[in-house]
Amino acid sequence: MTLKGTSVVIFKMSANGENNELVSVETPPNNKRRRKKSIVWEHFTIEPVAPGCTRACCKQCKQTFAYSTGSKLAGTSHLKRHIAMGTCPVTRRNQEKNQLTPYSPGTKTGSATDPPPKRRRASPGSPFFPFDQDHCRQEIAKMIIMHEYPLDMVEHPGFVSFAHNLQPRFNMVTFSTLQGDCVAIYLREKQILQKVLGGMPGRICLALDLWTSSQNLGYVLVRGQYIDADWKLHRLILNVVMVPNPDSGNALTQAVVSFLSDWSLESKLFTVTVDQRFSNDEATGDLKGFFSVKNPFMLNSQLLIGHCYAHVLSSLAQDALAAVRESVNKIRSSVKFVKISDTHEDKFIELKQQLQVPSTKTLFLDDQTKWNTTYLMLVAALELKEVFSCLDTSDPEYREAPSMDDWKQVETLCTYLKLLYDAASILTATTYPTANMFFHEVWKIHLELTHAAVSQDPFISNLARPMQEKFDKYWKDCCLVLAVAVAMDPRFKMKLVEFSFSKIYGDDASIYVKIIDEGIHELFLEYVAQPLPLTPTYVEQGISSSPPKGETSPGGTLLATGDGLLDFDVYISEISANQQSKSELDQYLEESLLPRMQEFDILGWWKLNNLKYPTLSMMARDILSIPVSTVDTDSVFDVNQKVLDSYRASLRPETLEALLCAKDWLQSGSTEMTKAIVKMEF
């Protein structure tokens, strides 16, 4: 039996205690007396609006919502949305106020007499995340790798306390355990990368960057650069090799041998670009001798050894700055005078406004470990030199004003620093540029320095001559590689080489153009001698596309030999012979140039045309992947050589290699590597 309700008899007494009477009161049914468990009822009240009909009223904004109409309940989902999704205007304002109120230690919300907050039940829709000790360990290891935190960070009391309060169930790892976890991540990623490199269609190019430590040890970072089957350029750190004697001749060979033993890519090594300290005859000669025994290289190793483009430009910039050091120091001191004092800077700005100097440049002090900051500081100061010239009259404390001759020398200096700055800026792009991007900048620098070295102005000639001699050596060593690379750009081909050589060499330009042209054709013939990989078209249709003898072709029945068209057959064979006499390279070079577009995707173009030029595309893939620089984007403008910090230098070489390589691979995205493996296996 279901109890609908009960009657209770109570005494009703008047204020004076008389006229007691019995009153019968109906109590609500049991189902109305149950405590509502949903969290929304902390924010809403139920109000009757008609017999058998109630509405839920928000305690904050007093807005009402449908709740009950007789025997039908509206539920609470719309009430939760009103509170949780921020549609309640009062709740939203309170949340914004709380977000804008800064937190200060020791402050508490509410008064001291407030009762302790009640424990609230989690809403039924709240997700539940199970605790996973192993997953947490992996995430800590990745954090250490990605942000280069010290391994012993997990033993610091502050970090241990933080982790314990965040998740008391987590067992904090030790230094040794974390080291093992980091190495395990490195080995897992390396296994993935080995499959990718083993199945890449082209060759790999190396860039060797030398770091040192306070213990006079050398660390060679071996970066590999290659273009994958989908015509995407990749640049990865593959090895970190410790060399006890970084200045010795065999340090370069030691690093390359370590790479080859690790990755087994002897037959796929194409070029090596080296750090400036390796650019000597002893080091490069030792490496060429090693390779001549292992396997022959294309063009008799003429493409094998290159020099770091960033280091060459940095060296030229340092030479130029040193030649005008006194004038540069005067301007640096003037900028320092303005920037170290708010009073001085206010006077400088006021004077600039009075003189109506239109410059929008802002003065700043340079970082003398990066030459580009010095160049940019000088450029800003040059635009404000009129203000500096008048500053000594308005501010008696300013006594180091550069002379007009100083400004003139620095202005000339910045003309040549701009050439180097523009050329180096290509290397600071978010994605590493292909090799075709550098020829234009290099030949312009060579031409400008050559003209400046013979200038009638003694200051210009003395400034440019040492730079020209140093850059001329780089031009002779790398001209062939850069010219072949730009020839693989369908916007320029050999035309840009012919044009630039006519500017540089004048009447002798044809001699040098012929050297480049012969080098390209000789390299192409070496690719012709290699077997072509089977494309999907060949796999599906076979090598020959002509129908077998006696079978019909799609155009109709096979014509008999006695059909009276023998002259036509001879005509066709002559045309075919003439067409076959032209190689893919010649056909490519003779075709019209593509229109020059700023955002041209050269790898995308070769991807679309690799069936038209199957052999030449193999050559283009390798040529375009050649790295011209050994450093990363953050070190392009560095004046000093990279020095390993004391913490990293204290690690075991195997651990250091694991941390540096794993960080590089994780940043590049191992998921892309996994996709490449799946695509390759498919």
Side-chain angles (χ1 to χ4, degrees):
M1 182 177 67
T2 305
L3 184 62
K4 297 295 184 182
T6 58
S7 297
V8 178
V9 179
I10 62 173
F11 286 98
K12 184 178 180 183
M13 183 177 292
S14 62
N16 56 8
E18 299 178 355
N19 300 325
N20 294 339
E21 58 179 333
L22 294 175
V23 180
S24 176
V25 180
E26 290 290 330
T27 62
N30 285 346
N31 60 342
K32 296 291 184 181
R33 292 170 60 186
R34 288 184 302 172
R35 189 174 73 87
K36 297 184 180 297
K37 297 181 179 180
S38 177
I39 196 172
V40 300
W41 301 117
E42 297 183 15
H43 303 274
F44 289 88
T45 59
I46 298 177
E47 296 183 355
V49 294
C53 180
T54 58
R55 291 181 69 83
C57 179
C58 177
K59 295 180 180 179
Q60 298 289 338
C61 64
K62 304 305 179 183
Q63 186 176 352
T64 62
F65 299 85
Y67 178 62
S68 172
T69 55
S71 60
K72 185 177 180 182
L73 290 175
T76 58
S77 297
H78 61 305
L79 307 182
K80 292 177 183 176
R81 287 194 295 270
H82 178 70
I83 297 299
M85 303 302 290
T87 56
C88 175
V90 177
T91 303
R92 185 167 63 249
R93 284 196 297 270
N94 291 338
Q95 290 175 348
E96 292 173 354
K97 182 179 179 181
N98 291 337
Q99 290 174 356
L100 295 174
T101 303
Y103 169 77
S104 58
T107 59
K108 296 181 179 180
T109 57
S111 64
T113 59
D114 288 344
K118 297 179 180 179
R119 292 189 61 181
R120 295 180 178 177
R121 292 175 177 267
S123 61
S126 299
F128 172 71
F129 298 102
F131 171 67
D132 188 335
Q133 172 77 16
D134 293 337
H135 180 72
C136 292
R137 280 178 51 182
Q138 288 293 309
E139 289 303 312
I140 287 182
K142 284 184 180 180
M143 176 190 72
I144 295 291
I145 292 171
M146 293 295 293
H147 301 288
E148 300 181 2
Y149 296 140
L151 288 168
D152 59 356
M153 172 183 173
V154 293
E155 296 179 349
H156 294 176
F159 185 77
V160 173
S161 176
F162 165 75
H164 177 73
N165 283 278
L166 189 66
Q167 176 50 266
R169 296 167 59 192
F170 178 65
N171 297 322
M172 181 53 68
V173 295
T174 62
F175 173 92
S176 300
T177 304
L178 178 62
Q179 182 176 238
D181 290 343
C182 292
V183 172
I185 291 175
Y186 158 74
L187 293 175
R188 184 183 68 239
E189 297 293 325
K190 183 176 182 179
Q191 189 176 17
I192 295 173
L193 186 55
Q194 282 176 326
K195 291 182 179 180
V196 173
L197 296 182
M200 63 181 177
R203 295 171 177 253
I204 191 167
C205 303
L206 299 185
L208 308 185
D209 189 21
L210 179 64
W211 295 8
T212 58
S213 69
S214 56
Q215 294 84 9
N216 198 30
L217 295 174
Y219 296 86
V220 181
L221 268 71
V222 182
R223 288 184 171 90
Q225 196 158 301
Y226 67 95
I227 296 174
D228 64 16
D230 200 37
W231 288 88
K232 302 294 183 184
L233 181 66
H234 299 272
R235 180 179 171 90
L236 301 169
I237 300 176
L238 299 177
N239 287 95
V240 179
V241 184
M242 189 189 77
V243 287
N245 301 308
D247 297 323
S248 65
N250 65 351
L252 176 61
T253 304
Q254 183 179 345
V256 177
V257 169
S258 178
F259 160 78
L260 295 177
S261 63
D262 247 13
W263 301 91
S264 302
L265 294 172
E266 291 91 345
S267 62
K268 291 195 171 186
L269 184 56
F270 189 53
T271 64
V272 179
T273 305
V274 298
D275 182 279
Q276 191 173 14
R277 291 181 63 177
F278 287 142
S279 301
N280 57 71
D281 295 336
E282 180 185 1
T284 57
D286 190 23
L287 184 62
K288 286 183 178 180
F290 168 77
F291 283 127
S292 64
V293 175
K294 289 292 182 181
N295 59 334
F297 275 86
M298 298 198 166
L299 285 182
N300 296 320
S301 301
Q302 292 182 61
L303 304 178
L304 181 61
I305 304 297
H307 304 288
C308 178
Y309 183 58
H311 285 159
V312 171
L313 297 179
S314 179
S315 178
L316 294 179
Q318 291 177 71
D319 291 347
L321 289 168
V324 199
R325 181 182 291 111
E326 186 175 347
S327 297
V328 171
N329 286 338
K330 286 183 180 179
I331 294 178
R332 182 182 289 118
S333 298
S334 297
V335 173
K336 186 177 181 180
F337 173 83
V338 173
K339 297 301 294 183
I340 61 173
S341 169
D342 291 340
T343 304
H344 295 167
E345 189 166 16
D346 290 341
K347 288 183 179 179
F348 187 86
I349 295 174
E350 181 182 356
L351 184 59
K352 175 189 172 183
Q353 293 172 346
Q354 291 175 359
L355 295 172
Q356 297 182 349
V357 178
S359 174
T360 58
K361 300 286 187 183
T362 302
L363 292 177
F364 67 94
L365 281 171
D366 61 328
D367 176 2
Q368 296 184 46
T369 65
K370 292 184 177 293
W371 65 267
N372 64 315
T373 63
T374 304
Y375 162 69
L376 295 174
M377 177 193 71
L378 296 176
V379 169
L382 279 170
E383 289 195 10
L384 297 166
K385 65 180 180 181
E386 184 180 353
V387 184
F388 280 109
S389 299
C390 299
L391 186 62
D392 55 350
T393 58
S394 60
D395 193 335
E397 296 182 26
Y398 180 61
R399 303 184 183 91
E400 299 182 6
S403 64
M404 293 305 296
D405 190 49
D406 291 326
W407 288 113
K408 183 180 179 181
Q409 288 185 1
V410 169
E411 188 173 3
T412 303
L413 168 69
C414 287
T415 302
Y416 297 99
L417 287 181
K418 184 180 187 304
L419 281 173
L420 306 180
Y421 176 78
D422 291 343
S425 295
I426 301 175
L427 294 168
T428 61
T430 53
T431 57
Y432 194 84
T434 47
N436 62 298
M437 297 289 292
F438 298 94
F439 179 81
H440 185 57
E441 295 295 337
V442 170
W443 82 262
K444 282 197 305 182
I445 294 175
H446 185 273
L447 180 65
E448 292 295 333
L449 292 180
T450 301
H451 288 169
V454 294
S455 172
Q456 298 300 317
D457 188 329
F459 174 76
I460 295 178
S461 59
N462 291 334
L463 174 68
R465 191 176 298 113
M467 298 169 62
Q468 190 270 336
E469 292 174 357
K470 185 177 292 187
F471 194 77
D472 188 57
K473 184 178 186 306
Y474 175 78
W475 171 257
K476 290 178 180 177
D477 290 340
C478 300
C479 175
L480 176 61
V481 172
L482 298 177
V484 172
V486 81
M488 294 297 100
D489 190 330
R491 298 171 298 171
F492 302 112
K493 301 182 181 179
M494 283 293 292
K495 300 302 181 184
L496 184 58
V497 176
E498 295 167 2
F499 171 77
S500 59
F501 279 17
S502 66
K503 298 287 186 180
I504 296 173
Y505 300 111
D507 296 337
D508 296 331
S510 59
I511 300 173
Y512 296 95
V513 171
K514 184 179 179 181
I515 294 174
I516 302 298
D517 186 69
E518 290 177 350
I520 293 176
H521 281 81
E522 184 180 344
L523 182 62
F524 176 73
L525 291 177
E526 295 193 36
Y527 276 90
V528 171
Q530 300 177 19
L532 280 174
L534 291 179
T535 64
T537 304
Y538 296 146
V539 173
E540 293 174 5
Q541 300 178 1
I543 301 300
S544 176
S545 59
S546 59
K549 186 177 181 180
E551 295 187 8
T552 59
S553 66
T557 58
L558 188 65
L559 293 177
T561 55
D563 59 358
L565 292 174
L566 289 177
D567 292 343
F568 176 73
D569 293 337
V570 173
Y571 170 72
I572 293 298
S573 65
E574 289 176 352
I575 293 178
S576 301
N578 290 332
Q579 289 178 343
Q580 291 174 0
S581 65
K582 289 186 179 180
S583 66
E584 290 178 25
L585 176 60
D586 291 328
Q587 292 179 40
Y588 164 78
L589 293 176
E590 290 176 6
E591 288 182 352
S592 301
L593 301 180
L594 291 184
R596 292 198 307 278
M597 296 176 291
Q598 193 68 26
E599 300 298 327
F600 178 67
D601 180 8
I602 187 172
L603 297 182
W605 188 89
W606 278 105
K607 181 181 180 180
L608 292 175
N609 289 273
N610 68 332
L611 293 180
K612 182 179 179 181
Y613 304 112
T615 302
L616 188 61
S617 64
M618 291 170 53
M619 174 174 153
R621 186 196 303 271
D622 294 339
I623 289 290
L624 294 175
S625 66
I626 296 177
V628 301
S629 175
T630 64
V631 302
D632 57 18
T633 56
D634 295 334
S635 305
V636 170
F637 297 103
D638 283 0
V639 172
N640 302 318
Q641 191 172 26
K642 198 83 170 182
V643 178
L644 208 64
D645 58 74
S646 57
Y647 159 69
R648 285 183 173 181
S650 67
L651 298 173
R652 294 185 304 171
E654 298 82 3
T655 303
L656 177 64
E657 181 178 50
L659 293 174
L660 292 179
C661 291
K663 177 188 177 182
D664 190 61
W665 300 343
L666 290 173
Q667 285 180 333
S668 64
S670 58
T671 53
E672 294 183 3
M673 298 180 186
T674 305
K675 290 178 183 177
I677 293 174
V678 172
K679 182 176 180 180
M680 179 179 64
E681 291 178 348
F682 178 77

